[in-house]
Amino acid sequence: MTTTPTSPPTMRETTYDVGGRKIFAAETGEGPAVLLLHGGGPGASGVSNYARNIAELAKEYRVVVPDLPGYGRSTKGVDAADPFGDLATGIRGLLDELGLEKAHLVGNSYGGACALRLALDTPDRVGRMVLMGPGGVGTTRALPTPGLNSLLNYYGGEGPSRLKLEKFIRNYLVFNAADVPDSAIEERYRASIDPEVIAAPPLRRPSGPGAVRTLMKMDFTRDRRLSRLPVPTLVLWGARDKVNRPSGARMLAERMPNCDLYMVANTGHWVQFERAQLFNRLCADFLAGRR
Protein backbone atom coordinates (compact mmCIF):
# COMPACT_ATOMS: atom_id res chain seq x y z
CA MET A 1 0.00 0.00 0.00
CA THR A 2 1.37 3.45 -0.94
CA THR A 3 0.10 6.80 0.32
CA THR A 4 0.31 10.07 -1.63
CA PRO A 5 -0.07 13.68 -0.46
CA THR A 6 -3.69 14.74 0.00
CA SER A 7 -5.38 16.98 -2.55
CA PRO A 8 -7.58 18.64 -1.44
CA PRO A 9 -5.88 18.75 2.01
CA THR A 10 -8.97 17.42 3.82
CA MET A 11 -8.86 14.10 1.93
CA ARG A 12 -6.46 11.24 2.57
CA GLU A 13 -5.35 9.57 -0.66
CA THR A 14 -4.20 5.96 -0.66
CA THR A 15 -3.49 3.38 -3.34
CA TYR A 16 -4.32 -0.14 -2.16
CA ASP A 17 -3.03 -3.44 -3.49
CA VAL A 18 -6.20 -5.47 -4.12
CA GLY A 19 -5.75 -8.91 -5.60
CA GLY A 20 -2.70 -7.87 -7.57
CA ARG A 21 -4.09 -4.61 -8.93
CA LYS A 22 -4.01 -1.10 -7.59
CA ILE A 23 -7.18 0.68 -6.45
CA PHE A 24 -6.93 4.34 -5.57
CA ALA A 25 -9.23 5.81 -2.93
CA ALA A 26 -9.68 9.21 -1.30
CA GLU A 27 -11.18 9.38 2.17
CA THR A 28 -12.53 11.97 4.57
CA GLY A 29 -14.88 12.24 7.54
CA GLU A 30 -15.75 9.99 10.47
CA GLY A 31 -18.69 7.75 11.24
CA PRO A 32 -20.28 4.79 9.45
CA ALA A 33 -18.38 3.95 6.27
CA VAL A 34 -19.90 4.93 2.91
CA LEU A 35 -18.29 4.09 -0.44
CA LEU A 36 -19.17 6.41 -3.34
CA LEU A 37 -18.88 4.50 -6.63
CA HIS A 38 -18.69 6.62 -9.78
CA GLY A 39 -20.17 6.16 -13.25
CA GLY A 40 -18.49 4.67 -16.29
CA GLY A 41 -18.37 7.55 -18.77
CA PRO A 42 -15.08 8.45 -20.48
CA GLY A 43 -12.63 10.11 -18.11
CA ALA A 44 -14.72 9.45 -15.01
CA SER A 45 -13.17 9.25 -11.55
CA GLY A 46 -14.46 9.09 -8.01
CA VAL A 47 -13.71 12.52 -6.58
CA SER A 48 -14.69 14.40 -9.74
CA ASN A 49 -18.04 12.59 -9.98
CA TYR A 50 -18.93 13.32 -6.37
CA ALA A 51 -17.42 16.81 -6.08
CA ARG A 52 -20.74 18.28 -4.91
CA ASN A 53 -21.46 15.57 -2.33
CA ILE A 54 -18.33 14.55 -0.46
CA ALA A 55 -18.10 17.47 1.98
CA GLU A 56 -21.75 17.26 3.00
CA LEU A 57 -21.79 13.50 3.51
CA ALA A 58 -18.49 13.68 5.43
CA LYS A 59 -20.23 15.68 8.16
CA GLU A 60 -21.84 12.44 9.27
CA TYR A 61 -20.00 9.59 7.57
CA ARG A 62 -16.58 8.16 6.84
CA VAL A 63 -16.65 8.77 3.08
CA VAL A 64 -14.43 6.60 0.88
CA VAL A 65 -14.26 7.52 -2.81
CA PRO A 66 -12.40 4.99 -4.98
CA ASP A 67 -11.52 5.11 -8.64
CA LEU A 68 -13.14 1.96 -10.00
CA PRO A 69 -10.86 -0.58 -11.71
CA GLY A 70 -10.19 0.73 -15.21
CA TYR A 71 -10.48 4.40 -14.23
CA GLY A 72 -8.53 7.27 -12.76
CA ARG A 73 -5.51 6.24 -10.75
CA SER A 74 -6.56 2.60 -10.42
CA THR A 75 -5.20 -0.27 -12.52
CA LYS A 76 -6.63 -0.25 -16.02
CA GLY A 77 -8.58 -3.10 -17.58
CA VAL A 78 -11.81 -4.87 -16.61
CA ASP A 79 -12.85 -8.47 -17.31
CA ALA A 80 -14.97 -8.07 -20.46
CA ALA A 81 -16.70 -11.42 -19.87
CA ASP A 82 -18.15 -10.26 -16.53
CA PRO A 83 -17.47 -6.54 -16.03
CA PHE A 84 -19.94 -5.97 -13.17
CA GLY A 85 -18.63 -9.02 -11.33
CA ASP A 86 -15.05 -7.87 -11.82
CA LEU A 87 -15.83 -4.40 -10.46
CA ALA A 88 -17.63 -5.92 -7.48
CA THR A 89 -14.69 -8.21 -6.75
CA GLY A 90 -12.34 -5.23 -6.77
CA ILE A 91 -14.49 -3.13 -4.44
CA ARG A 92 -15.09 -6.08 -2.09
CA GLY A 93 -11.32 -6.51 -1.94
CA LEU A 94 -11.02 -2.81 -1.15
CA LEU A 95 -13.41 -3.29 1.78
CA ASP A 96 -11.06 -6.00 3.05
CA GLU A 97 -8.05 -3.70 2.74
CA LEU A 98 -9.96 -0.95 4.58
CA GLY A 99 -10.76 -3.39 7.38
CA LEU A 100 -14.51 -3.06 6.79
CA GLU A 101 -16.74 -6.09 7.22
CA LYS A 102 -19.71 -4.02 6.07
CA ALA A 103 -20.25 -0.60 4.49
CA HIS A 104 -22.97 1.46 2.85
CA LEU A 105 -22.71 1.70 -0.93
CA VAL A 106 -23.70 4.65 -3.12
CA GLY A 107 -23.43 4.04 -6.85
CA ASN A 108 -24.14 6.06 -9.98
CA SER A 109 -24.60 4.28 -13.34
CA TYR A 110 -21.65 1.86 -13.74
CA GLY A 111 -20.92 2.31 -10.04
CA GLY A 112 -24.55 1.47 -9.29
CA ALA A 113 -24.18 -1.77 -11.24
CA CYS A 114 -21.03 -2.52 -9.25
CA ALA A 115 -22.85 -1.88 -5.97
CA LEU A 116 -25.83 -3.99 -6.94
CA ARG A 117 -23.69 -6.91 -8.05
CA LEU A 118 -21.62 -6.74 -4.86
CA ALA A 119 -24.82 -6.77 -2.80
CA LEU A 120 -26.26 -9.72 -4.74
CA ASP A 121 -23.06 -11.76 -4.39
CA THR A 122 -22.34 -10.88 -0.75
CA PRO A 123 -25.33 -9.11 0.90
CA ASP A 124 -23.71 -9.44 4.31
CA ARG A 125 -21.04 -6.91 3.25
CA VAL A 126 -23.55 -4.12 2.51
CA GLY A 127 -25.42 -2.06 5.09
CA ARG A 128 -27.67 0.18 2.99
CA MET A 129 -27.47 1.09 -0.66
CA VAL A 130 -28.30 4.16 -2.76
CA LEU A 131 -28.44 3.71 -6.54
CA MET A 132 -28.67 6.55 -9.08
CA GLY A 133 -29.66 5.45 -12.58
CA PRO A 134 -27.72 2.18 -12.21
CA GLY A 135 -26.52 0.26 -15.23
CA GLY A 136 -27.70 -3.25 -16.02
CA VAL A 137 -31.43 -2.76 -15.48
CA GLY A 138 -33.57 -4.13 -18.30
CA THR A 139 -30.70 -3.86 -20.76
CA THR A 140 -31.67 -7.04 -22.62
CA ARG A 141 -35.30 -5.96 -22.93
CA ALA A 142 -34.81 -2.94 -25.22
CA LEU A 143 -32.27 -1.44 -27.59
CA PRO A 144 -29.59 0.84 -26.08
CA THR A 145 -30.57 4.49 -25.66
CA PRO A 146 -28.92 7.17 -27.82
CA GLY A 147 -27.05 8.32 -24.72
CA LEU A 148 -25.66 4.85 -24.01
CA ASN A 149 -24.69 4.47 -27.66
CA SER A 150 -22.83 7.78 -27.47
CA LEU A 151 -20.94 6.52 -24.44
CA LEU A 152 -20.13 3.11 -25.93
CA ASN A 153 -19.01 4.65 -29.25
CA TYR A 154 -16.55 7.07 -27.67
CA TYR A 155 -13.46 4.95 -28.34
CA GLY A 156 -14.73 3.64 -31.68
CA GLY A 157 -14.71 5.15 -35.16
CA GLU A 158 -12.18 7.95 -35.37
CA GLY A 159 -11.35 7.49 -31.68
CA PRO A 160 -11.80 9.77 -28.67
CA SER A 161 -12.06 13.53 -29.07
CA ARG A 162 -13.00 16.46 -26.91
CA LEU A 163 -15.96 17.18 -29.20
CA LYS A 164 -17.35 13.65 -28.77
CA LEU A 165 -16.99 13.88 -25.00
CA GLU A 166 -18.62 17.30 -24.81
CA LYS A 167 -21.54 16.09 -26.93
CA PHE A 168 -22.05 13.08 -24.65
CA ILE A 169 -21.94 15.18 -21.47
CA ARG A 170 -24.00 18.17 -22.60
CA ASN A 171 -26.52 16.32 -24.81
CA TYR A 172 -27.01 13.12 -22.87
CA LEU A 173 -25.51 13.09 -19.36
CA VAL A 174 -27.33 16.08 -17.86
CA PHE A 175 -30.68 17.81 -18.31
CA ASN A 176 -29.22 21.33 -18.28
CA ALA A 177 -26.11 21.48 -20.48
CA ALA A 178 -24.99 24.79 -18.98
CA ASP A 179 -24.65 23.16 -15.55
CA VAL A 180 -21.36 21.50 -16.54
CA PRO A 181 -18.35 23.86 -16.67
CA ASP A 182 -15.84 23.66 -19.51
CA SER A 183 -13.13 22.85 -16.98
CA ALA A 184 -14.90 19.63 -15.99
CA ILE A 185 -15.13 18.53 -19.62
CA GLU A 186 -11.47 19.33 -20.20
CA GLU A 187 -10.44 17.36 -17.09
CA ARG A 188 -12.43 14.34 -18.20
CA TYR A 189 -11.14 14.52 -21.75
CA ARG A 190 -7.52 14.47 -20.61
CA ALA A 191 -8.24 11.45 -18.40
CA SER A 192 -10.06 9.69 -21.24
CA ILE A 193 -7.03 9.75 -23.55
CA ASP A 194 -4.70 7.98 -21.14
CA PRO A 195 -2.95 5.44 -23.43
CA GLU A 196 -3.69 2.61 -20.99
CA VAL A 197 -7.41 3.43 -21.09
CA ILE A 198 -7.47 3.67 -24.88
CA ALA A 199 -5.79 0.26 -25.05
CA ALA A 200 -8.40 -1.30 -22.73
CA PRO A 201 -11.61 0.76 -22.45
CA PRO A 202 -13.37 -0.30 -19.23
CA LEU A 203 -16.89 0.00 -20.67
CA ARG A 204 -17.60 -1.53 -24.07
CA ARG A 205 -20.13 -3.68 -25.90
CA PRO A 206 -19.79 -7.42 -25.26
CA SER A 207 -18.50 -9.25 -28.32
CA GLY A 208 -17.29 -12.66 -29.37
CA PRO A 209 -18.72 -16.14 -28.74
CA GLY A 210 -19.67 -15.37 -25.13
CA ALA A 211 -21.41 -12.06 -25.84
CA VAL A 212 -24.97 -13.30 -25.24
CA ARG A 213 -24.02 -14.89 -21.94
CA THR A 214 -22.28 -11.69 -20.86
CA LEU A 215 -25.28 -9.56 -21.84
CA MET A 216 -27.66 -11.76 -19.83
CA LYS A 217 -25.32 -11.66 -16.84
CA MET A 218 -25.24 -7.85 -17.10
CA ASP A 219 -29.04 -7.50 -16.84
CA PHE A 220 -30.04 -7.63 -13.19
CA THR A 221 -33.70 -8.12 -14.07
CA ARG A 222 -32.68 -11.61 -15.23
CA ASP A 223 -31.12 -12.41 -11.83
CA ARG A 224 -33.52 -14.30 -9.55
CA ARG A 225 -31.58 -13.19 -6.49
CA LEU A 226 -32.87 -9.63 -6.97
CA SER A 227 -36.28 -10.53 -5.53
CA ARG A 228 -34.64 -11.89 -2.38
CA LEU A 229 -32.07 -9.15 -1.78
CA PRO A 230 -32.44 -8.04 1.86
CA VAL A 231 -30.35 -4.83 1.60
CA PRO A 232 -32.45 -1.67 2.18
CA THR A 233 -32.11 0.31 -1.05
CA LEU A 234 -33.00 3.80 -2.22
CA VAL A 235 -33.22 4.24 -6.00
CA LEU A 236 -32.93 7.81 -7.31
CA TRP A 237 -33.56 8.19 -11.02
CA GLY A 238 -33.60 11.32 -13.14
CA ALA A 239 -36.93 11.52 -14.95
CA ARG A 240 -35.12 12.90 -18.01
CA ASP A 241 -32.27 10.37 -18.01
CA LYS A 242 -31.11 9.80 -21.61
CA VAL A 243 -28.48 7.16 -20.79
CA ASN A 244 -30.36 4.59 -18.70
CA ARG A 245 -34.12 4.57 -19.19
CA PRO A 246 -36.16 5.91 -16.25
CA SER A 247 -38.42 2.86 -16.66
CA GLY A 248 -35.60 0.92 -15.03
CA ALA A 249 -36.49 2.55 -11.73
CA ARG A 250 -39.89 0.84 -11.66
CA MET A 251 -38.30 -2.47 -12.69
CA LEU A 252 -36.12 -2.37 -9.57
CA ALA A 253 -38.89 -1.20 -7.26
CA GLU A 254 -41.16 -4.02 -8.44
CA ARG A 255 -38.52 -6.71 -7.98
CA MET A 256 -36.60 -5.66 -4.86
CA PRO A 257 -38.37 -6.31 -1.54
CA ASN A 258 -36.76 -3.41 0.36
CA CYS A 259 -36.57 -0.71 -2.31
CA ASP A 260 -37.70 2.91 -2.01
CA LEU A 261 -37.97 4.87 -5.25
CA TYR A 262 -37.59 8.61 -5.87
CA MET A 263 -38.02 9.98 -9.39
CA VAL A 264 -36.26 13.33 -9.76
CA ALA A 265 -37.97 15.81 -12.09
CA ASN A 266 -36.05 17.83 -14.70
CA THR A 267 -32.91 15.80 -14.06
CA GLY A 268 -30.76 13.63 -16.30
CA HIS A 269 -28.37 10.77 -15.58
CA TRP A 270 -26.22 12.59 -13.03
CA VAL A 271 -28.60 13.07 -10.08
CA GLN A 272 -25.87 13.59 -7.47
CA PHE A 273 -24.41 16.44 -9.55
CA GLU A 274 -27.52 18.05 -11.02
CA ARG A 275 -29.61 17.97 -7.84
CA ALA A 276 -26.83 17.88 -5.28
CA GLN A 277 -28.71 19.52 -2.39
CA LEU A 278 -31.65 17.14 -2.71
CA PHE A 279 -29.38 14.15 -3.19
CA ASN A 280 -27.20 14.96 -0.19
CA ARG A 281 -30.20 15.26 2.11
CA LEU A 282 -31.98 12.13 0.87
CA CYS A 283 -28.78 10.08 0.86
CA ALA A 284 -27.67 11.09 4.35
CA ASP A 285 -31.11 10.48 5.84
CA PHE A 286 -31.63 7.13 4.13
CA LEU A 287 -28.24 5.75 5.10
CA ALA A 288 -28.88 6.77 8.71
CA GLY A 289 -32.30 5.08 8.68
CA ARG A 290 -34.13 8.37 9.17
CA ARG A 291 -36.42 7.70 6.21
Side-chain angles (χ1 to χ4, degrees):
M1 169 174 103
T2 59
T3 302
T4 58
T6 56
S7 176
T10 55
M11 300 199 77
R12 302 178 295 281
E13 297 187 350
T14 307
T15 300
Y16 296 89
D17 189 334
V18 179
R21 59 183 171 185
K22 305 296 183 183
I23 295 184
F24 168 85
E27 180 178 342
T28 188
E30 297 181 358
V34 179
L35 268 67
L36 306 183
L37 307 177
H38 64 81
S45 65
V47 172
S48 67
N49 272 213
Y50 289 99
R52 297 183 176 182
N53 319 114
I54 293 169
E56 283 300 312
L57 293 176
K59 293 177 180 178
E60 190 172 352
Y61 299 97
R62 175 188 175 186
V63 178
V64 181
V65 194
D67 288 345
L68 291 175
Y71 292 87
R73 285 184 260 180
S74 294
T75 296
K76 305 305 181 287
V78 175
D79 181 3
D82 185 17
F84 296 163
D86 193 29
L87 294 177
T89 296
I91 296 304
R92 186 165 43 248
L94 178 62
L95 291 178
D96 293 339
E97 292 298 320
L98 291 166
L100 296 171
E101 292 188 8
K102 179 178 287 193
H104 300 311
L105 300 180
V106 175
N108 172 233
S109 194
Y110 208 33
C114 171
L116 194 47
R117 178 63 182 272
L118 197 159
L120 287 169
D121 289 349
T122 49
D124 58 306
R125 303 298 301 269
V126 184
R128 287 179 166 243
M129 186 162 56
V130 178
L131 306 175
M132 302 87 76
V137 181
T139 46
T140 62
R141 302 177 189 276
L143 293 174
T145 64
L148 186 56
N149 277 327
S150 177
L151 190 163
L152 293 172
N153 291 337
Y154 181 72
Y155 289 102
E158 70 279 12
S161 72
R162 193 185 187 284
L163 182 61
K164 287 173 73 172
L165 183 59
E166 183 168 14
K167 179 180 178 181
F168 166 68
I169 290 175
R170 297 202 189 280
N171 292 0
Y172 297 114
L173 189 65
V174 296
F175 176 68
N176 180 8
D179 197 27
V180 183
D182 288 340
S183 59
I185 293 174
E186 183 64 27
E187 178 185 354
R188 286 189 61 151
Y189 172 63
R190 292 186 180 280
S192 77
I193 57 174
D194 180 323
E196 287 187 282
V197 176
I198 293 176
L203 183 57
R204 47 187 155 176
R205 288 184 175 86
S207 61
V212 173
R213 179 180 299 178
T214 297
L215 284 168
M216 297 297 284
K217 193 181 297 184
M218 292 177 70
D219 186 348
F220 293 112
T221 66
R222 305 283 184 181
D223 194 325
R224 295 179 180 179
R225 297 176 298 172
L226 195 64
S227 63
R228 304 190 301 270
L229 185 62
V231 177
T233 302
L234 172 64
V235 172
L236 301 171
W237 213 300
R240 305 294 291 274
D241 192 333
K242 297 178 182 178
V243 177
N244 291 334
R245 288 184 175 84
S247 58
R250 181 58 58 186
M251 290 183 185
L252 288 179
E254 290 174 349
R255 288 167 172 79
M256 299 175 70
N258 297 304
C259 178
D260 290 340
L261 172 59
Y262 195 112
M263 295 295 294
V264 188
N266 299 317
T267 304
H269 188 56
W270 225 5
V271 174
Q272 81 281 4
F273 180 89
E274 300 176 71
R275 299 292 298 277
Q277 187 174 9
L278 173 67
F279 170 83
N280 292 339
R281 184 175 71 250
L282 291 175
C283 186
D285 285 349
F286 181 80
L287 295 180
R290 292 192 290 267
R291 61 170 67 225

